[in-house]
Amino acid sequence: MAVILALRALGLGDLLTAVPAVRALRRAAPRDRLVLAAPAPLAPLAELTGAVDELLPARGLGALPRPAEPPGLAVNLHGSGPESITDLLGTRPARLITHRHPGLPDVPGPPWREDLHEVDRWCRLLEWHGIPADPGDLSLPAPAEPSPAPGAVVVHPGAAYPARRWPAERFAAVARALAGTGRRVVVTGDAGERRLAEEVAGRAGLPADDVLAGHTGVAGLAAVVAGAALVVCGDTGVGHLATAFGTPSVLLFGPTPPERWGPPSGRPQHVALWAGGTGDPFAAHPDPGLLRLTEADVLAAARPLLGRTRERDKDGARHA
């Protein structure tokens, strides 16, 4: 049995956009052992893909643990190189799938394109190397862990960089308005976002028990999103969780357009808002385009989605 080593040592949303590629590798070699090099906290999601046999903890580039034996195939689902390519070459694979990089001219692969959706990027990489992949294969089964807030509206105000963070007071205004519909509203985030979540909840008049930030790991957060009535967030991994579980969502984009990181087209339960214009996604201040999105814009998108959720809830009750 050969080993396939796939490198994706990035965050939550990065893993979820690579799910179709990871599943394509599994279908192409069902008897091989598929090892995913990714951050250890993402192990519960790797398991939900149904494709990964083992998660090899990897915190980033330059620190990839060397497997016990060289892999038969190494797959660069991490980036354009050269660091990610060099990391995988260090495992001494029999074969390497990656994009081409001018710094490593002897390593074949397709050219890196900035204009592709992140899901399409990795599927096209595999297809260039002769492995068919389905970009629509994004769905995950709901986790076994029960949600601590079933049927709630999830407001997730955090983002990895300030450029992608809509202001706390605007999230609070949306949370207050949605709580006024009779739905429970919870505020999520990691431990480092606890203060931001408390600010949003305080401004919205939500009880302290509805601040879940810092109280859920990845598995718990996935359970909250899977069981939610609606998710409202920026361009973050939580938005990709909503896509994976089919949870209705309103996603606020800027400075990166949804054509690069948004939900697939043809799924009306996900509404991606974007005011237009691109900028630096790593900037230290909220993107001007993101700031053009208003509370009214978000509520106009959210209320019809919640209305359809209520109708589904009633139908389920009538047929129970």
Side-chain angles (χ1 to χ4, degrees):
M1 179 175 60
V3 170
I4 299 173
L5 175 62
L7 174 62
R8 189 70 167 164
L10 295 164
L12 173 62
D14 303 284
L15 173 58
L16 294 171
T17 55
V19 166
V22 171
R23 285 178 169 160
L25 290 171
R26 166 54 67 219
R27 288 192 297 270
R31 293 182 177 85
D32 291 343
R33 182 169 182 80
L34 180 52
V35 177
L36 177 66
L42 299 182
L45 292 182
E47 182 177 355
L48 287 179
T49 68
V52 176
D53 295 304
E54 176 188 350
L55 187 135
L56 181 66
R59 298 182 178 180
L61 298 179
L64 179 62
R66 180 170 290 191
E69 61 182 78
L73 173 64
V75 185
N76 184 4
L77 300 178
H78 187 96
S80 60
E83 295 91 347
S84 51
I85 300 174
T86 301
D87 274 5
L88 286 173
L89 287 174
T91 67
R92 297 172 286 125
R95 180 188 175 200
L96 174 62
I97 288 178
T98 187
H99 287 88
R100 184 170 67 247
H101 190 278
L104 297 163
D106 295 333
V107 179
W112 181 270
R113 287 178 52 183
E114 292 290 348
D115 61 333
L116 292 178
H117 190 285
E118 189 70 5
V119 174
D120 293 334
R121 178 188 314 287
W122 306 113
C123 291
R124 290 191 184 204
L125 170 66
L126 294 187
E127 288 169 353
W128 192 93
H129 287 274
I131 299 174
D134 176 10
D137 193 9
L138 289 161
S139 298
L140 296 179
E145 180 174 334
S147 170
V153 173
V154 172
V155 172
H156 187 86
Y161 294 93
R164 296 177 235 165
R165 289 181 206 144
W166 205 47
E169 62 270 19
R170 299 192 194 183
F171 271 115
V174 168
R176 186 186 310 110
L178 294 179
T181 68
R183 288 277 186 182
R184 182 184 180 188
V185 177
V186 297
V187 188
T188 57
D190 61 25
E193 295 166 334
R194 175 81 184 177
R195 183 174 297 179
L196 172 61
E198 289 174 338
E199 178 185 354
V200 170
R203 288 174 178 266
L206 303 179
D209 287 348
D210 289 340
V211 178
L212 303 185
H215 293 314
T216 59
V218 169
L221 178 61
V224 170
V225 172
L230 177 71
V231 170
V232 180
C233 67
D235 177 12
T236 70
V238 169
H240 295 287
L241 278 176
T243 297
F245 296 127
T247 303
S249 60
V250 178
L251 311 174
L252 288 71
F253 278 83
T256 302
E259 288 77 11
R260 294 276 303 280
W261 281 88
S265 60
R267 301 191 186 190
Q269 72 270 37
H270 308 300
V271 178
L273 301 178
W274 184 50
T278 57
D280 179 5
F282 309 109
H285 303 284
D287 180 73
L290 179 63
L291 294 178
R292 285 198 289 272
L293 298 174
T294 67
E295 297 95 322
D297 294 328
V298 176
L299 290 169
R303 285 174 172 140
L305 294 177
L306 273 180
R308 290 200 286 272
T309 300
R310 285 191 186 279
E311 288 304 312
R312 287 195 298 273
D313 291 346
K314 291 177 183 176
D315 287 343
R318 283 196 290 266
H319 291 93

